[in-house]
PDB file of all heavy atoms in Angstrom:
ATOM      1  N   LYS A 184       3.688   5.606  -1.354  1.00 97.00           N
ATOM      2  CA  LYS A 184       3.713   4.351  -2.117  1.00 97.00           C
ATOM      3  C   LYS A 184       3.683   4.686  -3.599  1.00 97.00           C
ATOM      4  O   LYS A 184       2.655   5.092  -4.152  1.00 97.00           O
ATOM      5  CB  LYS A 184       2.525   3.463  -1.741  1.00 97.00           C
ATOM      6  CG  LYS A 184       2.570   2.130  -2.456  1.00 97.00           C
ATOM      7  CD  LYS A 184       1.639   1.133  -1.847  1.00 97.00           C
ATOM      8  CE  LYS A 184       1.757  -0.216  -2.528  1.00 97.00           C
ATOM      9  NZ  LYS A 184       0.866  -1.207  -1.935  1.00 97.00           N
ATOM     10  N   LEU A 185       4.807   4.558  -4.234  1.00 97.00           N
ATOM     11  CA  LEU A 185       4.966   4.980  -5.624  1.00 97.00           C
ATOM     12  C   LEU A 185       4.217   4.054  -6.571  1.00 97.00           C
ATOM     13  O   LEU A 185       4.027   2.868  -6.281  1.00 97.00           O
ATOM     14  CB  LEU A 185       6.456   4.972  -5.989  1.00 97.00           C
ATOM     15  CG  LEU A 185       7.341   5.888  -5.145  1.00 97.00           C
ATOM     16  CD1 LEU A 185       8.809   5.664  -5.486  1.00 97.00           C
ATOM     17  CD2 LEU A 185       6.966   7.350  -5.371  1.00 97.00           C
ATOM     18  N   THR A 186       3.825   4.602  -7.712  1.00 94.00           N
ATOM     19  CA  THR A 186       3.215   3.760  -8.740  1.00 94.00           C
ATOM     20  C   THR A 186       4.285   3.291  -9.718  1.00 94.00           C
ATOM     21  O   THR A 186       5.141   4.094 -10.125  1.00 94.00           O
ATOM     22  CB  THR A 186       2.092   4.494  -9.503  1.00 94.00           C
ATOM     23  OG1 THR A 186       1.764   3.723 -10.659  1.00 94.00           O
ATOM     24  CG2 THR A 186       2.490   5.892  -9.945  1.00 94.00           C
ATOM     25  N   PRO A 187       4.233   2.017 -10.122  1.00 93.00           N
ATOM     26  CA  PRO A 187       5.213   1.550 -11.109  1.00 93.00           C
ATOM     27  C   PRO A 187       4.852   1.995 -12.521  1.00 93.00           C
ATOM     28  O   PRO A 187       5.604   1.766 -13.459  1.00 93.00           O
ATOM     29  CB  PRO A 187       5.118   0.022 -10.987  1.00 93.00           C
ATOM     30  CG  PRO A 187       3.719  -0.226 -10.542  1.00 93.00           C
ATOM     31  CD  PRO A 187       3.322   0.956  -9.694  1.00 93.00           C
ATOM     32  N   ASN A 188       3.695   2.645 -12.659  1.00 88.00           N
ATOM     33  CA  ASN A 188       3.246   3.059 -13.990  1.00 88.00           C
ATOM     34  C   ASN A 188       3.733   4.467 -14.338  1.00 88.00           C
ATOM     35  O   ASN A 188       3.156   5.150 -15.170  1.00 88.00           O
ATOM     36  CB  ASN A 188       1.708   2.964 -14.067  1.00 88.00           C
ATOM     37  CG  ASN A 188       1.197   1.554 -13.742  1.00 88.00           C
ATOM     38  OD1 ASN A 188       1.711   0.572 -14.269  1.00 88.00           O
ATOM     39  ND2 ASN A 188       0.232   1.451 -12.853  1.00 88.00           N
ATOM     40  N   ALA A 189       4.814   4.911 -13.661  1.00 90.00           N
ATOM     41  CA  ALA A 189       5.393   6.239 -13.943  1.00 90.00           C
ATOM     42  C   ALA A 189       6.485   6.099 -15.001  1.00 90.00           C
ATOM     43  O   ALA A 189       7.147   5.065 -15.076  1.00 90.00           O
ATOM     44  CB  ALA A 189       5.991   6.827 -12.674  1.00 90.00           C
ATOM     45  N   GLY A 190       6.683   7.175 -15.778  1.00 89.00           N
ATOM     46  CA  GLY A 190       7.729   7.145 -16.810  1.00 89.00           C
ATOM     47  C   GLY A 190       9.109   7.012 -16.196  1.00 89.00           C
ATOM     48  O   GLY A 190       9.933   6.216 -16.638  1.00 89.00           O
ATOM     49  N   ASP A 191       9.390   7.799 -15.159  1.00 94.00           N
ATOM     50  CA  ASP A 191      10.708   7.798 -14.530  1.00 94.00           C
ATOM     51  C   ASP A 191      10.501   7.738 -13.012  1.00 94.00           C
ATOM     52  O   ASP A 191      10.349   8.769 -12.351  1.00 94.00           O
ATOM     53  CB  ASP A 191      11.458   9.077 -14.926  1.00 94.00           C
ATOM     54  CG  ASP A 191      12.860   9.131 -14.331  1.00 94.00           C
ATOM     55  OD1 ASP A 191      13.203   8.272 -13.483  1.00 94.00           O
ATOM     56  OD2 ASP A 191      13.610  10.051 -14.712  1.00 94.00           O
ATOM     57  N   VAL A 192      10.501   6.518 -12.485  1.00 96.00           N
ATOM     58  CA  VAL A 192      10.139   6.345 -11.071  1.00 96.00           C
ATOM     59  C   VAL A 192      11.172   6.993 -10.152  1.00 96.00           C
ATOM     60  O   VAL A 192      10.821   7.506  -9.074  1.00 96.00           O
ATOM     61  CB  VAL A 192       9.892   4.850 -10.750  1.00 96.00           C
ATOM     62  CG1 VAL A 192      11.163   4.045 -10.748  1.00 96.00           C
ATOM     63  CG2 VAL A 192       9.158   4.679  -9.429  1.00 96.00           C
ATOM     64  N   ALA A 193      12.431   7.036 -10.565  1.00 97.00           N
ATOM     65  CA  ALA A 193      13.467   7.658  -9.718  1.00 97.00           C
ATOM     66  C   ALA A 193      13.219   9.167  -9.605  1.00 97.00           C
ATOM     67  O   ALA A 193      13.410   9.751  -8.530  1.00 97.00           O
ATOM     68  CB  ALA A 193      14.853   7.373 -10.282  1.00 97.00           C
ATOM     69  N   ALA A 194      12.785   9.788 -10.686  1.00 97.00           N
ATOM     70  CA  ALA A 194      12.498  11.233 -10.645  1.00 97.00           C
ATOM     71  C   ALA A 194      11.322  11.513  -9.714  1.00 97.00           C
ATOM     72  O   ALA A 194      11.329  12.484  -8.945  1.00 97.00           O
ATOM     73  CB  ALA A 194      12.193  11.745 -12.055  1.00 97.00           C
ATOM     74  N   VAL A 195      10.312  10.660  -9.755  1.00 97.00           N
ATOM     75  CA  VAL A 195       9.163  10.822  -8.867  1.00 97.00           C
ATOM     76  C   VAL A 195       9.604  10.611  -7.416  1.00 97.00           C
ATOM     77  O   VAL A 195       9.198  11.340  -6.499  1.00 97.00           O
ATOM     78  CB  VAL A 195       8.031   9.834  -9.254  1.00 97.00           C
ATOM     79  CG1 VAL A 195       6.857   9.970  -8.295  1.00 97.00           C
ATOM     80  CG2 VAL A 195       7.563  10.077 -10.683  1.00 97.00           C
ATOM     81  N   ALA A 196      10.476   9.632  -7.197  1.00 98.00           N
ATOM     82  CA  ALA A 196      10.982   9.346  -5.846  1.00 98.00           C
ATOM     83  C   ALA A 196      11.752  10.545  -5.296  1.00 98.00           C
ATOM     84  O   ALA A 196      11.575  10.935  -4.138  1.00 98.00           O
ATOM     85  CB  ALA A 196      11.866   8.104  -5.887  1.00 98.00           C
ATOM     86  N   ARG A 197      12.590  11.144  -6.135  1.00 98.00           N
ATOM     87  CA  ARG A 197      13.368  12.321  -5.687  1.00 98.00           C
ATOM     88  C   ARG A 197      12.430  13.473  -5.323  1.00 98.00           C
ATOM     89  O   ARG A 197      12.638  14.176  -4.339  1.00 98.00           O
ATOM     90  CB  ARG A 197      14.352  12.757  -6.782  1.00 98.00           C
ATOM     91  CG  ARG A 197      15.669  11.965  -6.748  1.00 98.00           C
ATOM     92  CD  ARG A 197      16.728  12.620  -7.626  1.00 98.00           C
ATOM     93  NE  ARG A 197      16.370  12.558  -9.033  1.00 98.00           N
ATOM     94  CZ  ARG A 197      16.714  11.562  -9.862  1.00 98.00           C
ATOM     95  NH1 ARG A 197      17.466  10.568  -9.419  1.00 98.00           N
ATOM     96  NH2 ARG A 197      16.336  11.556 -11.118  1.00 98.00           N
ATOM     97  N   ALA A 198      11.369  13.644  -6.116  1.00 98.00           N
ATOM     98  CA  ALA A 198      10.411  14.719  -5.832  1.00 98.00           C
ATOM     99  C   ALA A 198       9.710  14.468  -4.503  1.00 98.00           C
ATOM    100  O   ALA A 198       9.494  15.397  -3.712  1.00 98.00           O
ATOM    101  CB  ALA A 198       9.381  14.819  -6.959  1.00 98.00           C
ATOM    102  N   ALA A 199       9.373  13.208  -4.227  1.00 98.00           N
ATOM    103  CA  ALA A 199       8.701  12.877  -2.959  1.00 98.00           C
ATOM    104  C   ALA A 199       9.627  13.161  -1.786  1.00 98.00           C
ATOM    105  O   ALA A 199       9.214  13.740  -0.775  1.00 98.00           O
ATOM    106  CB  ALA A 199       8.272  11.408  -2.966  1.00 98.00           C
ATOM    107  N   GLU A 200      10.875  12.772  -1.926  1.00 98.00           N
ATOM    108  CA  GLU A 200      11.840  13.018  -0.843  1.00 98.00           C
ATOM    109  C   GLU A 200      12.006  14.527  -0.608  1.00 98.00           C
ATOM    110  O   GLU A 200      11.965  15.000   0.534  1.00 98.00           O
ATOM    111  CB  GLU A 200      13.195  12.384  -1.192  1.00 98.00           C
ATOM    112  CG  GLU A 200      14.253  12.623  -0.132  1.00 98.00           C
ATOM    113  CD  GLU A 200      15.599  12.005  -0.492  1.00 98.00           C
ATOM    114  OE1 GLU A 200      16.043  12.178  -1.651  1.00 98.00           O
ATOM    115  OE2 GLU A 200      16.197  11.348   0.361  1.00 98.00           O
ATOM    116  N   ALA A 201      12.169  15.278  -1.695  1.00 98.00           N
ATOM    117  CA  ALA A 201      12.387  16.725  -1.567  1.00 98.00           C
ATOM    118  C   ALA A 201      11.186  17.418  -0.923  1.00 98.00           C
ATOM    119  O   ALA A 201      11.327  18.435  -0.249  1.00 98.00           O
ATOM    120  CB  ALA A 201      12.664  17.332  -2.944  1.00 98.00           C
ATOM    121  N   ALA A 202       9.995  16.850  -1.126  1.00 98.00           N
ATOM    122  CA  ALA A 202       8.776  17.483  -0.582  1.00 98.00           C
ATOM    123  C   ALA A 202       8.427  16.939   0.798  1.00 98.00           C
ATOM    124  O   ALA A 202       7.354  17.237   1.330  1.00 98.00           O
ATOM    125  CB  ALA A 202       7.613  17.276  -1.550  1.00 98.00           C
ATOM    126  N   GLY A 203       9.315  16.148   1.393  1.00 98.00           N
ATOM    127  CA  GLY A 203       9.128  15.796   2.800  1.00 98.00           C
ATOM    128  C   GLY A 203       8.676  14.389   3.114  1.00 98.00           C
ATOM    129  O   GLY A 203       8.358  14.101   4.279  1.00 98.00           O
ATOM    130  N   ALA A 204       8.636  13.488   2.119  1.00 98.00           N
ATOM    131  CA  ALA A 204       8.297  12.089   2.443  1.00 98.00           C
ATOM    132  C   ALA A 204       9.372  11.520   3.362  1.00 98.00           C
ATOM    133  O   ALA A 204      10.563  11.765   3.156  1.00 98.00           O
ATOM    134  CB  ALA A 204       8.216  11.262   1.157  1.00 98.00           C
ATOM    135  N   ASN A 205       8.947  10.771   4.387  1.00 98.00           N
ATOM    136  CA  ASN A 205       9.915  10.162   5.304  1.00 98.00           C
ATOM    137  C   ASN A 205      10.421   8.828   4.785  1.00 98.00           C
ATOM    138  O   ASN A 205      11.474   8.342   5.216  1.00 98.00           O
ATOM    139  CB  ASN A 205       9.277   9.924   6.671  1.00 98.00           C
ATOM    140  CG  ASN A 205       8.800  11.207   7.294  1.00 98.00           C
ATOM    141  OD1 ASN A 205       7.635  11.564   7.170  1.00 98.00           O
ATOM    142  ND2 ASN A 205       9.710  11.930   7.929  1.00 98.00           N
ATOM    143  N   ALA A 206       9.623   8.188   3.922  1.00 98.00           N
ATOM    144  CA  ALA A 206       9.991   6.879   3.377  1.00 98.00           C
ATOM    145  C   ALA A 206       9.196   6.675   2.096  1.00 98.00           C
ATOM    146  O   ALA A 206       8.202   7.379   1.843  1.00 98.00           O
ATOM    147  CB  ALA A 206       9.663   5.773   4.382  1.00 98.00           C
ATOM    148  N   LEU A 207       9.630   5.717   1.291  1.00 98.00           N
ATOM    149  CA  LEU A 207       8.917   5.384   0.061  1.00 98.00           C
ATOM    150  C   LEU A 207       8.659   3.881   0.049  1.00 98.00           C
ATOM    151  O   LEU A 207       9.452   3.109   0.623  1.00 98.00           O
ATOM    152  CB  LEU A 207       9.761   5.746  -1.172  1.00 98.00           C
ATOM    153  CG  LEU A 207      10.263   7.196  -1.237  1.00 98.00           C
ATOM    154  CD1 LEU A 207      11.201   7.382  -2.426  1.00 98.00           C
ATOM    155  CD2 LEU A 207       9.078   8.158  -1.350  1.00 98.00           C
ATOM    156  N   SER A 208       7.569   3.479  -0.587  1.00 98.00           N
ATOM    157  CA  SER A 208       7.328   2.050  -0.752  1.00 98.00           C
ATOM    158  C   SER A 208       7.029   1.799  -2.227  1.00 98.00           C
ATOM    159  O   SER A 208       6.434   2.636  -2.901  1.00 98.00           O
ATOM    160  CB  SER A 208       6.185   1.568   0.147  1.00 98.00           C
ATOM    161  OG  SER A 208       5.007   2.300  -0.082  1.00 98.00           O
ATOM    162  N   LEU A 209       7.484   0.659  -2.717  1.00 98.00           N
ATOM    163  CA  LEU A 209       7.236   0.280  -4.102  1.00 98.00           C
ATOM    164  C   LEU A 209       7.578  -1.189  -4.284  1.00 98.00           C
ATOM    165  O   LEU A 209       8.417  -1.711  -3.538  1.00 98.00           O
ATOM    166  CB  LEU A 209       8.025   1.166  -5.071  1.00 98.00           C
ATOM    167  CG  LEU A 209       9.548   1.006  -5.170  1.00 98.00           C
ATOM    168  CD1 LEU A 209      10.027   1.496  -6.513  1.00 98.00           C
ATOM    169  CD2 LEU A 209      10.289   1.715  -4.056  1.00 98.00           C
ATOM    170  N   ILE A 210       6.838  -1.858  -5.191  1.00 97.00           N
ATOM    171  CA  ILE A 210       5.957  -1.319  -6.200  1.00 97.00           C
ATOM    172  C   ILE A 210       4.493  -1.640  -5.873  1.00 97.00           C
ATOM    173  O   ILE A 210       4.205  -2.604  -5.145  1.00 97.00           O
ATOM    174  CB  ILE A 210       6.284  -1.872  -7.619  1.00 97.00           C
ATOM    175  CG1 ILE A 210       6.060  -3.377  -7.714  1.00 97.00           C
ATOM    176  CG2 ILE A 210       7.663  -1.471  -8.050  1.00 97.00           C
ATOM    177  CD1 ILE A 210       6.185  -3.942  -9.122  1.00 97.00           C
TER     178      ILE A 210
END
Side-chain angles (χ1 to χ4, degrees):
K184 183 165 183 179
L185 300 173
T186 167
N188 303 312
D191 181 351
V192 71
V195 178
R197 276 193 293 270
E200 179 181 46
N205 300 95
L207 306 174
S208 56
L209 71 156
I210 64 172

